[in-house]
Amino acid sequence: MKQGSQHHVFTILPTLRSAHPAEKPISLVDLNILLRPTLPSFNNKYNRPLASSNGAAPFTAVPPLCRLESLADPHGILTDSGWTPLIHPEGDTYFWFQTKGLVTASDVKEPQVRARVEAAHKAIFERLPALDIPARDLTAIEIFISIPPDAASGFVDYYLVDHHTRHPFWVDHVNPATLELPLVDNEASLKSLLTPEYWTHLEYFPQHQAYPQYAEDELIGILEHGSIDDMTSPGSTCPWSAKECQQFLKLVRSFRTSGGFVPIGYRLVCTARLWTTIARTRHINSYGLRNPRLDRNQGLIQYSLLQNRQNLLLSLGEAVCFFLPVQVAKRLTALWNGRVVYQRHWHVFLEDMHKQWFIMGTLCAVVWVAAIVLIALGKSSALVVASASLSAAGVWLSLFLQNAHSRDKIATAPDISAYIMKVEDYYHGLRPLSIVFCFPHALTIYSVLLLQTALVYQSLEQTKDSLALSALVMSAWTVPLALASIMFTMFGGAKWT
C-alpha cells in the first residue's frame, strides 16, 4: 500500500465473506492453551537444530523380527490414532489427520504434544460455524497447528487455509502488525497479500494434497509468456529471465510426459515453489488491482527526478570522480524504481561492478609497483609518492567493495532490498552510493595521472639544460593526447558519453 493512504484500512478478518466483533483469544484452561495466529512463511523448518542423539543407549545388536513400520513412525505408535506420518521430499516429517483436515509439524508421537494439538484443533473447529462458512466449503479448509518452543507459555500457533479461495485465514480478528504484514485498504489487496502464503503452505505440506492441475496449466502459460516478455521487453516484470523460464518449462512439462510416475508430493513442491514466487511478484506489482505496475521501468522518470535534487557536496563528489557516478546512479535508480528490486537484474549490475573493481584494483596494483620501482631507483618525488599512496588506496578500496558486496552476502531479493534501504539517502536516494562505487575508478585515474606527471617531470629535469629537448619532451606528452582526443571527437565519441 502506498504511504499516506491509510484511511479505511482493513484489519485481517476471519473470513472475507463476513466480519464479526472482535473476541478474546481462546484459552483452554486445563491444557493452558492460547491460540496464536501465524503464517506459513513463519515456519522455522530450515533453522531448526540438526538431529542429535536423544541420550538413549546405542544398539549393540539388531533385535530378531525387526519389522519397523516407517522412518517417521518406526514402531507404529500412531497406527490407531488417526494420525498419518508423512515425509516431505526434502526429508522433513509432518503429520496429517485426514478426517479432521489437520496438519502439524509437531511430533504427535509424544502423548502430551498430541493432546495439545488435538485440543487446539477442537477449539478452532468449534469456532468455524460462527464464521458462516458454507457447508460445501468446509471440506476445502485445512487447519495447521504447531506447538512452538515456548510451549510453556501456553501458546499454540495456528492458521487455516481455504483451498477454494487459496489463502490463509484465522478464527479471530488479527492485527496485521503481529504477523509483520503491511496495511491494505481493500479486500482485493488483502487477497493478493495472502495468496503467496497459501502456496508456501502447499510447498511445506505436499504429500497428502490433491494435485491442483489448474495451477500447472496456468504455470505453463505464465512461463511461456514470461519467456517471450523478457526477450522482447527490457522492463519485463517476470521474476525470471527467458532462459530460466525455458528451464522451468522443460521440467514442468516433463511431469506430464512422465506418465504419472513422478509422485504427487514431489510434483507439488516444485509447482508450489514457483507459484509462491509468482504470487509475491504479482502482489508487488499490484497484478489485477487498480493501477498495476506493467513495466519494470514504469514511472522511472518521475522517480529519478526525486533523486536529483541539487546538492553541492554530491555535485562535488561526482566532479571529483570525473562524473562517472552519474551513469551508475541512473542504473541504481532504475534497479530500485518504485522501491522494488528484481534479484536477477541486481546481480547483473553487481557482477558488472565486480568486474570493474577488479580491473581498477589490478591497474592500481600495476601503478603501485611502478611507483615503488621508481622510488627504489632513487627517482622518488612527491608526485611518485602521491601516486603510490593513491594506487595503494585504490587496491584496498577495490578489495573492500568486492568483499562487502559479495553475492553470498546480498543473495536474495529481501537481502538486496534490506541493503538498499540501509544505504539510500532520504533526500538523494542512491546518488551517494554511486559515488562510493566509483571511488576505485577515480583513484586509478588520479594515480595514473600523477605517475605520468612524475615521469614527465623527471624527463624535464634531465633535459633542463636544453630548451629543444625540453620542448620535445613536452610535445611527446601532449601531442599524442591531443591527437587521440581530436580523433575521438571527430568520430562521434562525444555522443557516446
Side-chain angles (χ1 to χ4, degrees):
M1 189 184 73
K2 295 178 177 63
Q3 292 182 356
S5 58
Q6 297 190 10
H7 56 286
H8 304 299
V9 171
F10 275 63
T11 55
I12 299 178
L13 301 177
T15 170
L16 297 183
R17 302 184 184 87
S18 62
H20 298 281
E23 300 180 28
K24 295 180 180 179
I26 310 157
S27 180
L28 300 180
V29 179
D30 292 342
L31 287 173
N32 188 28
I33 287 178
L34 186 66
L35 296 181
R36 180 171 62 185
T38 189
L39 286 169
S41 58
F42 285 4
N43 192 317
N44 201 38
K45 60 183 289 185
Y46 294 111
N47 294 318
R48 292 199 299 262
L50 295 175
S52 59
S53 173
N54 58 10
F59 288 157
T60 57
V62 178
L65 293 176
C66 181
R67 301 175 67 243
L68 304 176
E69 294 290 333
S70 69
L71 289 173
D73 188 18
H75 300 290
I77 295 174
L78 301 176
T79 301
D80 299 321
S81 66
W83 287 96
T84 302
L86 298 169
I87 299 178
H88 189 279
E90 293 176 341
D92 194 32
T93 299
Y94 72 93
F95 303 90
W96 174 46
F97 203 121
Q98 181 176 7
T99 58
K100 294 182 177 181
L102 173 62
V103 293
T104 182
S106 302
D107 189 1
V108 294
K109 295 193 300 294
E110 298 291 335
Q112 182 66 17
V113 173
R114 184 162 67 248
R116 291 177 64 81
V117 170
E118 293 181 355
H121 171 269
K122 180 181 178 182
I124 296 169
F125 193 77
E126 289 175 349
R127 292 291 301 282
L128 291 182
L131 301 181
D132 297 332
I133 300 175
R136 59 184 173 80
D137 289 345
L138 286 174
T139 57
I141 290 175
E142 187 166 271
I143 302 173
F144 168 81
I145 294 174
S146 176
I147 308 300
D150 59 345
S153 63
F155 285 116
V156 173
D157 295 331
Y158 85 101
Y159 62 79
L160 301 89
V161 292
D162 187 334
H163 291 294
H164 285 168
T165 60
R166 299 197 290 278
H167 65 76
F169 66 100
W170 302 268
V171 295
D172 278 302
H173 284 70
V174 178
N175 183 349
T178 63
L179 296 176
E180 301 176 13
L181 293 173
L183 297 176
V184 294
D185 57 6
N186 60 78
E187 292 180 338
S189 296
L190 180 58
K191 178 174 173 58
S192 174
L193 176 65
L194 294 177
T195 297
E197 298 291 341
Y198 170 76
W199 293 107
T200 298
H201 172 79
L202 291 192
E203 180 189 346
Y204 288 174
F205 306 102
Q207 297 294 71
H208 65 286
Q209 307 285 357
Y211 188 73
Q213 189 62 50
Y214 70 88
E216 187 177 284
D217 296 339
E218 188 175 356
L219 180 60
I220 290 175
I222 291 171
L223 292 173
E224 289 176 336
H225 172 265
S227 179
I228 294 175
D229 192 37
D230 184 63
M231 289 188 287
T232 58
S233 171
S236 172
T237 58
C238 179
W240 304 295
S241 66
K243 181 179 179 180
E244 290 171 323
C245 286
Q246 291 298 320
Q247 291 172 333
F248 291 145
L249 269 172
K250 182 178 179 181
L251 294 172
V252 173
R253 285 172 173 158
S254 69
F255 291 149
R256 296 192 168 190
T257 58
S258 66
F261 291 109
V262 178
I264 287 178
Y266 289 84
R267 190 172 179 178
L268 182 54
V269 164
C270 301
T271 302
R273 181 170 294 186
L274 294 178
W275 260 109
T276 299
T277 301
I278 291 169
R280 286 175 179 160
T281 304
R282 285 182 168 184
H283 175 69
I284 290 171
N285 293 313
S286 300
Y287 175 90
L289 304 176
R290 187 176 181 180
N291 299 324
R293 176 189 174 110
L294 305 178
D295 188 280
R296 192 171 56 87
N297 297 319
Q298 188 173 335
L300 178 58
I301 295 177
Q302 295 87 339
Y303 186 67
S304 298
L305 291 175
L306 297 175
Q307 316 290 311
N308 292 326
R309 296 182 178 94
Q310 292 297 323
N311 182 275
L312 180 60
L313 183 61
L314 290 178
S315 298
L316 180 62
E318 290 169 345
V320 168
C321 293
F322 302 93
F323 298 100
L324 295 173
V326 174
Q327 292 299 322
V328 175
K330 288 181 179 179
R331 292 183 67 183
L332 283 169
T333 302
L335 288 171
W336 189 231
N337 179 33
R339 300 181 66 79
V340 174
V341 63
Y342 277 70
Q343 180 177 328
R344 60 191 180 94
H345 295 294
W346 170 265
H347 286 319
V348 170
F349 165 76
L350 205 57
E351 286 172 6
D352 182 35
M353 293 307 304
H354 272 273
K355 291 178 183 177
Q356 293 186 39
W357 292 332
F358 176 78
I359 293 172
M360 295 304 110
T362 302
L363 290 175
C364 281
V366 171
V367 172
W368 182 81
V369 170
I372 295 300
V373 170
L374 286 175
I375 294 172
L377 294 175
K379 306 294 184 179
S380 177
S381 68
L383 293 174
V384 173
V385 173
S387 176
S389 178
L390 288 178
S391 59
V395 171
W396 176 85
L397 189 56
S398 297
L399 292 173
F400 174 79
L401 288 173
Q402 292 221 39
N403 179 68
H405 298 86
S406 60
R407 187 156 181 168
D408 61 330
K409 292 182 179 179
I410 314 175
T412 65
D415 292 339
I416 299 168
S417 297
Y419 166 77
I420 295 177
M421 286 188 286
K422 178 182 177 182
V423 299
E424 73 172 332
D425 183 83
Y426 183 79
Y427 294 104
H428 305 287
L430 298 173
R431 283 180 68 193
L433 181 65
S434 68
I435 295 173
V436 173
F437 278 4
C438 290
F439 262 8
H441 304 66
L443 291 173
T444 302
I445 294 172
Y446 284 121
S447 62
V448 170
L449 289 176
L450 286 172
L451 184 62
Q452 177 80 347
T453 304
L455 292 174
V456 172
Y457 179 78
Q458 293 282 352
S459 300
L460 290 174
E461 280 291 308
Q462 294 175 2
T463 60
K464 63 182 180 180
D465 295 333
S466 172
L467 184 61
L469 288 177
S470 295
L472 183 62
V473 169
M474 289 299 297
S475 299
W477 183 44
T478 57
V479 171
L481 180 62
L483 287 175
S485 300
I486 292 171
M487 293 290 290
F488 181 78
T489 304
M490 285 178 58
F491 290 98
K495 299 178 183 178
W496 305 337
T497 58

